[in-house]
Amino acid sequence: MSRIAERFARLRGEGRAGLVAYLTAGDPDPDTSRELIAGLAAAGADLVEIGMPFSDPMADGPLIQAAGQRALKAGMNLRRTLAMVRHLRRRDETTPFVLMGYYNPIYRYGPQAFAQDAAAAGVDGLIVVDLPPEEDAELAGPARAAGLDLVRLATPTSDERRLPQIVGGAGGFIYYVAIAGITGTRRADTDAVAIAVARLRRFTTLPVAVGFGIKDPDQAAAVARAADAAVVGSALVQRLAANLDAGGRARPGLVAAVLGDVQALAAGVRWARSRA
Amino acid sequence: MQAANTLRGGPDAAGHFGIYGGRYVAETLMPLVLAVEAAYDEACRDPGFQRELDYYLEHYVGRPSPLYFAERLTRHFGGAKIYFKRDELNHTGAHKINNVLGQTLLARRMGKTRIIAETGAGQHGVATATACALFDLPCVVYMGATDIERQKPNVFRMKLLGAEVVPVHSGTATLKDAMNEALRDWVAHVDDTFYVIGTVAGPHPYPAMVRDFQSVIGRETRVQLQKAEGRLPDTLVACIGGGSNAMGLFHPFLDEPGVAMIGVEAAGHGLQTGMHAASLNGGVPGVLHGNRTYLLQDEDGQIRDAHSISAGLDYPGIGPEHAWLHDLGRVEYVAITDAEALEAFQLASRLEGIIPALEPAHALAHVAKIAPNLPRDHLIVMNMCGRGDKDIFAVAEHLGVRL
Ligand SMILES: Cc1ncc(COP(=O)(O)O)c(C=O)c1O
């Protein structure tokens, strides 16, 4: 069983949803980023989603755009992202690591080589935002061969004609994008999310994680009542950005501040169903 | 299906020209992109749609644009016979309006009530703002903050026409970032908004659709040159930003083996300096803005900043059909520097009384290189795809003249 499947099985056993924490690799600098991401699981993240910085992140709002820019400026690239995962994996055997990003850096690296290197580094899944089912065969083949789950996205615009195609080749879990919009902008409407997740479950038995527009523990808890996991990204990146000095360097309390938010979100997710 | 015996049958049903093109967009946009494709297919089957477009092209844009024998330039170069396809005489001063009217009519057909666009030089933004004024549609134009600075007259024009011009500060604050921002807007306004893309790029069906709307340039040229010379041209020359004016001129001739075609990219400070916008001459294949094509990028797949004196050519990608034609060797792609374009800009002004936009000045600079060595009966058609009014401030600055 893959780490992702195992983790969702365990969450099901505990009768709760999980927290997926997103941070961009290398933000604000490689060392701080490594320390931060290494601390996510202990702070309560059940899955860790690591952003691969890209110059032109068309599905991201200003917060994650800026995170990617900081990382690139600090010298981050895809090879170093994989090296970071390799390092993290040595210290953590069980937490699923999912890489999220855009296709061009992967294509430049070579889909085959990338899938092999990512799997060897300890990556469990891939989310490639600009690779819809129509275009993902080129990566899906190598990913499957390497034992990686290619996670697919469903959105408020995915109608019932499209959903079978989306879930058909999906691996790991379905990532439901809670808003029609980019990251870090609108707040997700948790009632609409519950309806959308129920609809998705008619098409798939895969776990459903919900992200985009989840900003605080209450909202994460509300989502956790309907979905198998809540994904929080921009809110963490915002906390990170608030702990940078004028020159964009990490201030001393940055790691603790971000991990503090992760703890609060994890608590929200854990209590969600008992409070319901 | 791409028929084996034609170069004009692409793309395939999934929008691919060979390995290029496709639909590399976020899942949120996929249903919208598919809806545009379905609506466009339906419009193509409806003679009423083409009739309506033709009406506006004739009475509003002023088509057909003349095919003009540039006699003094021909004599000056002393070789090939040079014709200009004068799309700079179109309403709004460039070829962009041909495509914008097509897409705006399609948006109306689809019941969309809000239009967005990206723009670099501002010509596509002006054309879109114009069509939106004509059809009473709210219009939001995304423009890089850097481009807003160097294309002030067009920014003011768009505002006069009632459009909202949104400065884009993200990334490198140029055309590619404006396109990112327009895509982000579209993701956030899926119900009411139509994205009018300004060149033969973006997800399928845009590259094919924009090409079809711009092909009026080549179709007219064919008829006009037949009338003037009784035959096909020998060489077609057009500048390439995303490649829409070039695709429009080339496409109707692709299956004519005797017609040579040259696309002129912007070499900026020179190809060897790395400060250029020549995706085919200095890039490698990648995926950006919904399609696979040649891109300026680094080893890590990060998109590199393009550099050109011409804001309209300052784009790190190129339409996927050009990428395909390049690999096939059907079209030759060359590059012209800022300095060479500036020289051609002045030459056309002085010898023909035509102040070209900096974009076609690149095409003319290449004509200047090849025409002298070609025989007098060699027919060159160059697409004079825009007029230079928008560029006089930038050119004056480069020439050290204070206005
Ligand atoms: C006059 C003119 N020519 C050419 C271009 C480049 O676009 P394309 O290569 O799509 O024709 C522009 C773009 O703004 C333009 O304004």
Side-chain angles (χ1 to χ4, degrees):
Chain A
M1 211 196 283
S2 76
R3 283 192 197 92
I4 293 174
E6 246 170 58
R7 180 53 47 104
F8 277 107
R10 205 186 85 192
L11 290 170
R12 231 179 346 266
E14 292 174 15
R16 68 175 181 94
L19 173 68
V20 184
Y22 168 95
L23 287 169
T24 300
D27 177 28
D29 62 77
D31 288 343
T32 307
S33 176
R34 193 185 312 116
E35 187 188 342
L36 202 44
I37 295 174
L40 288 174
D46 298 294
L47 289 85
V48 170
E49 198 181 307
I50 302 172
M52 302 176 276
F54 181 49
S55 53
D56 293 80
M58 62 150 176
D60 284 303
L63 288 164
I64 293 182
Q65 285 174 40
Q69 292 293 332
R70 286 191 294 267
L72 290 173
K73 217 171 127 200
M76 206 58 189
N77 60 32
L78 195 46
R79 266 165 225 289
R80 290 190 183 130
T81 299
L82 294 182
M84 176 187 284
V85 173
R86 208 174 305 121
H87 172 92
L88 295 167
R89 184 51 80 209
R90 267 187 242 121
R91 307 162 33 148
D92 181 343
E93 271 294 310
T94 53
T95 304
F97 294 141
V98 178
L99 293 182
M100 179 164 191
Y102 296 82
Y103 189 47
N104 197 53
I106 294 172
Y107 180 59
R108 192 73 210 267
Y109 194 107
Q112 182 87 37
F114 173 76
Q116 283 164 357
D117 291 358
V123 172
D124 303 292
L126 304 174
I127 304 173
V128 188
V129 179
D130 54 353
L131 219 45
E134 280 82 349
E135 304 288 355
D136 74 8
E138 186 175 283
L139 182 61
R144 206 170 295 124
L148 295 175
D149 286 321
L150 190 56
V151 174
R152 282 195 175 155
L153 301 143
T155 73
T157 60
S158 311
D159 57 25
E160 309 218 337
R161 257 179 319 156
R162 209 166 152 71
L163 283 175
Q165 189 183 359
I166 293 172
V167 304
F173 57 93
I174 300 293
Y175 188 130
Y176 181 69
V177 175
I179 55 168
I182 53 178
T183 55
T185 49
R186 288 177 200 165
R187 267 181 98 82
D189 171 347
T190 47
D191 291 340
V193 165
I195 294 167
V197 171
R199 187 177 67 152
L200 263 174
R201 293 205 197 279
R202 287 198 278 115
F203 292 87
T204 182
T205 54
L206 284 173
V208 178
V210 175
F212 280 47
I214 302 175
K215 295 175 193 286
D216 55 47
D218 282 348
Q219 226 184 341
V223 165
R225 274 175 216 126
D228 300 297
V231 188
V232 181
S234 293
L236 298 177
V237 170
Q238 184 164 28
R239 176 70 69 193
L240 182 158
N243 282 274
L244 298 173
D245 67 18
R249 284 173 303 261
R251 288 207 306 251
L254 183 148
V255 171
V258 175
L259 295 182
D261 283 3
V262 174
Q263 281 166 358
L265 288 161
V269 165
R270 274 157 210 265
W271 297 331
R273 292 196 194 157
S274 51
R275 272 196 310 193
Chain B
M1 276 297 288
Q2 269 161 245
N5 57 350
T6 176
L7 294 174
R8 302 180 62 225
D12 68 16
H16 295 110
F17 299 93
I19 67 161
Y20 303 106
R23 289 177 285 224
Y24 294 85
V25 294
E27 179 55 34
T28 314
L29 286 181
M30 266 317 280
L32 281 76
V33 163
L34 293 169
V36 171
E37 183 188 348
Y40 180 57
D41 284 349
E42 191 211 294
C44 286
R45 287 192 301 269
D46 175 4
F49 179 76
Q50 190 61 46
R51 248 197 322 274
E52 191 181 14
L53 178 55
D54 287 346
Y55 172 86
Y56 286 104
L57 288 177
E58 179 182 348
H59 298 282
Y60 192 67
V61 175
R63 299 209 74 92
S65 69
L67 182 71
Y68 165 73
F69 171 41
E71 196 173 348
R72 292 197 65 207
L73 271 170
T74 296
R75 241 185 292 136
H76 177 77
F77 295 135
K81 193 167 181 184
I82 299 160
Y83 281 88
F84 288 163
K85 178 59 174 163
R86 302 219 30 208
D87 258 53
E88 104 278 14
L89 292 175
N90 293 342
H91 180 43
T92 70
H95 64 293
K96 298 288 181 185
I97 190 84
N98 303 329
N99 162 51
V100 164
L101 281 172
Q103 287 194 50
T104 308
L105 291 176
L106 186 65
R108 271 159 52 99
R109 241 178 120 86
M110 293 176 73
K112 300 294 179 183
T113 54
R114 176 176 176 269
I115 299 290
I116 58 171
E118 84 296 336
T119 197
Q123 287 305 109
H124 175 62
V126 166
T128 307
T130 298
C132 288
L134 178 64
F135 295 115
D136 191 24
L137 290 163
C139 176
V140 177
V141 179
Y142 290 93
M143 189 167 185
T146 309
D147 292 335
I148 286 187
E149 202 42 51
R150 57 180 172 174
Q151 300 284 338
K152 281 184 193 144
N154 273 345
V155 175
F156 185 59
R157 257 178 216 128
M158 286 184 269
K159 289 181 180 167
L160 275 177
L161 292 161
E164 181 191 346
V165 181
V166 180
V168 177
H169 297 279
S170 62
T172 54
T174 58
L175 179 54
K176 80 171 173 72
D177 308 290
M179 197 150 179
N180 289 332
E181 215 52 44
L183 286 164
R184 290 178 186 126
D185 178 307
W186 205 18
V187 170
H189 298 92
V190 292
D191 293 326
D192 63 347
T193 296
F194 190 98
Y195 179 15
V196 175
I197 295 182
T199 192
V200 284
H204 179 64
Y206 283 94
M209 175 169 70
V210 176
R211 172 202 71 200
D212 292 348
F213 290 140
Q214 291 294 3
S215 290
V216 66
I217 298 172
R219 286 196 306 271
E220 287 176 5
T221 297
R222 215 179 152 117
V223 173
Q224 290 166 321
L225 198 69
Q226 187 64 36
K227 196 162 163 223
E229 299 278 351
R231 65 180 183 92
L232 291 169
D234 295 301
T235 302
L236 303 172
V237 183
C239 66
I240 306 239
S244 69
N245 87 85
M247 239 17 268
L249 177 64
F250 296 168
H251 194 258
F253 296 98
L254 280 177
D255 287 334
E256 301 294 347
V259 181
M261 301 176 194
I262 305 175
V264 183
E265 298 190 305
H269 296 322
L271 289 181
Q272 44 332 313
T273 65
M275 305 273 282
H276 59 79
S279 325
L280 288 177
N281 282 288
V284 293
V287 172
L288 181 71
H289 294 154
N291 66 95
R292 184 184 340 235
T293 189
Y294 281 77
L295 299 171
L296 303 182
Q297 53 178 312
D298 68 15
E299 300 283 284
D300 188 39
Q302 308 298 334
I303 306 306
R304 279 200 351 237
D305 205 359
H307 286 274
S308 170
I309 187 175
S310 147
L313 304 185
D314 214 345
Y315 180 66
I318 180 166
E321 194 166 9
H322 285 292
W324 179 66
L325 292 167
H326 169 264
D327 284 8
L328 288 178
R330 175 62 184 97
V331 179
E332 181 191 359
Y333 294 89
V334 299
I336 283 293
T337 65
D338 289 352
E340 291 168 323
L342 270 172
E343 197 159 314
F345 181 93
Q346 296 169 80
L347 193 67
S349 303
R350 276 201 314 274
L351 288 187
E352 293 290 351
I354 296 172
I355 301 177
L358 279 169
E359 292 82 13
H362 284 72
L364 182 59
H366 188 69
V367 169
K369 285 187 180 174
I370 60 171
N373 307 315
L374 291 166
R376 278 159 204 264
D377 61 353
H378 188 102
L379 301 179
I380 294 180
V381 177
M382 189 207 98
N383 199 5
M384 182 58 79
C385 59
R387 64 173 191 235
D389 308 39
K390 69 181 174 61
D391 293 316
I392 52 172
F393 297 98
V395 170
E397 199 180 306
H398 280 277
L399 299 179
V401 179
R402 210 175 279 259
L403 294 187

